[in-house]
């Protein structure tokens, strides 16, 4: 029951079978719409909704997001992948790349979350505000808090409307599942980033929360051979803030 889209054709000189796009935790596969056509014109590209996001339902019991992505890659016959991931999706991609290094050939992480990292003061403040709003049943207020927090100053109204719709959908699905007798429980595998063999680029934004910026610098230093790019104009979701610029960056790295 995984919702995904597959389009484009792999190039003869691509060292991978597919480009996998992994969305942020405030989004779903629609966040990659600005990059979808340019990428599919040059590569075979896959984007999926993780369980509890977009059109993919949640199920009771334990779930592994990295395991879900392995299943989808297997369904489309991909033995090697270039993975582009944003925020929470970056944490999922790190687990996939560390536990299946033969599967992930290239890795692009946009403001990634990192397993085991302590939250910064501004991240804790955001979490407390979101929890307080949700405890009051103010889902609309929590949604607006996410839109204000995660989109940088370059984002336009269309980007804000899209993020609002994606976050509202995630809250709708996930809050309902929390009331089940056997609610979903996310399972994470141990992630040793030193085991990652993929060619890796880590991207951060100067307008992002400080914790994500610190994680990007630290992660790039720990993954063997990784490089780091700081974008002075960017917030947390640069592909929605300056779509054309991030599309160009991705085409450069993937090419």
């Amino acid at each position: 029951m995984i919702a995904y889209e597959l389009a484009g054709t792999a190039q003869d000189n691509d060292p991978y079978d597919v480009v996998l796009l992994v969305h942020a935790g405030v989004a779903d596969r629609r966040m990659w719409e600005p990059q979808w056509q340019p990428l599919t014109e040059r590569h075979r590209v896959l984007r999926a909704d993780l369980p509890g996001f977009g059109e993919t339902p949640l199920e009771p019991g334990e779930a592994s997001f990295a395991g879900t992505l392995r299943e989808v890659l297997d369904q489309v016959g991909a033995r090697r992948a270039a993975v582009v991931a944003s925020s929470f999706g970056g944490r999922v991609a790190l687990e996939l790349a560390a536990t299946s290094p033969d599967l992930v050939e290239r890795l692009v992480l946009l403001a990634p979350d990192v397993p085991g990292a302590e939250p910064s003061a501004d991240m804790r403040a955001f979490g407390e505000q979101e929890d307080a709003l949700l405890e009051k049943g103010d889902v609309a207020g929590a949604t607006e808090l996410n839109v204000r927090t995660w989109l940088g100053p370059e984002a336009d109204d269309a980007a804000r409307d899209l993020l609002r719709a994606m976050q509202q959908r995630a809250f709708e699905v996930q809050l309902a599942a929390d009331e089940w007798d056997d609610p979903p429980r996310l399972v994470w595998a141990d992630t040793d980033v030193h085991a990652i063999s993929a060619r890796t680029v880590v991207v951060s934004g100067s307008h992002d929360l400080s914790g994500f910026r610190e994680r990007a610098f630290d992660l790039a230093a720990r993954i063997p051979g990784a490089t780091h790019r700081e974008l002075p104009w960017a917030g947390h979701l640069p592909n929605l803030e300056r779509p054309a610029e991030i599309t160009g960056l991705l085409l450069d790295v993937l090419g």
Side-chain angles (χ1 to χ4, degrees):
M1 295 296 293
I2 305 301
Y4 68 85
E5 296 168 84
L6 180 67
T9 303
Q11 302 301 303
D12 291 339
N13 59 345
D14 284 346
Y16 44 81
D17 305 310
V18 71
V19 176
L20 171 65
L21 305 177
V22 189
H23 62 77
V26 292
D28 53 50
R29 74 182 192 270
R30 289 175 288 176
M31 76 170 287
W32 301 110
E33 190 61 31
Q35 287 74 45
W36 184 246
Q37 183 174 345
L39 290 180
T40 57
E41 288 174 353
R42 301 196 189 185
H43 303 281
R44 184 176 183 231
V45 188
L46 169 69
R47 59 176 173 174
D49 288 334
L50 294 170
F53 298 89
E55 297 179 315
T56 299
L58 280 167
E59 295 181 355
E62 294 184 347
S64 164
F65 283 174
T68 296
L69 294 180
R70 285 192 198 92
E71 291 177 10
V72 175
L73 289 168
D74 185 63
Q75 285 182 29
V76 303
R79 295 174 296 175
R80 295 282 281 172
V83 181
V84 178
S86 172
S87 187
F88 175 80
R91 179 177 178 179
V92 179
L94 285 168
E95 179 183 328
L96 182 67
T99 57
S100 302
D102 292 341
L103 180 60
V104 181
E105 192 277 337
R106 203 157 297 187
L107 187 60
V108 184
L109 303 169
L110 306 178
D113 194 8
V114 178
E118 287 294 322
S120 58
D122 51 6
M123 295 169 76
R124 288 195 298 271
F126 162 79
E128 290 168 1
Q129 292 178 60
E130 184 184 55
D131 288 345
L133 289 166
L134 293 175
E135 286 173 7
K136 293 191 302 181
D138 188 1
V139 176
T143 299
E144 292 306 315
L145 173 65
N146 277 273
V147 174
R148 291 194 306 272
T149 300
W150 303 121
L151 282 174
E154 297 282 333
D156 60 16
D157 289 342
R160 297 180 189 280
D161 288 344
L162 175 59
L163 187 64
R164 185 176 294 112
M166 293 187 293
Q167 178 63 90
Q168 286 175 340
R169 172 60 179 166
F171 277 144
E172 174 187 332
V173 175
Q174 295 166 20
L175 292 174
D178 287 342
E179 303 300 318
W180 296 349
D181 292 336
D182 185 16
R185 299 181 301 281
L186 193 55
V187 177
W188 297 96
D190 290 337
T191 301
D192 178 8
V193 299
H194 296 94
I196 294 174
S197 59
R199 173 184 169 189
T200 302
V201 176
V202 185
V203 178
S204 59
S206 295
H207 293 276
D208 200 356
L209 299 188
S210 62
F212 281 103
R213 295 183 65 202
E214 293 164 3
R215 292 175 187 192
F217 280 96
D218 176 70
L219 190 61
R222 291 192 293 132
I223 296 177
T227 60
H228 173 249
R229 300 189 190 185
E230 174 89 346
L231 304 178
W233 52 266
H236 189 66
L237 300 170
N239 79 296
L240 293 175
E241 296 162 17
R242 283 193 187 178
E245 188 162 331
I246 296 303
T247 298
L249 184 153
L250 296 179
L251 289 172
D252 178 58
V253 173
L254 295 173

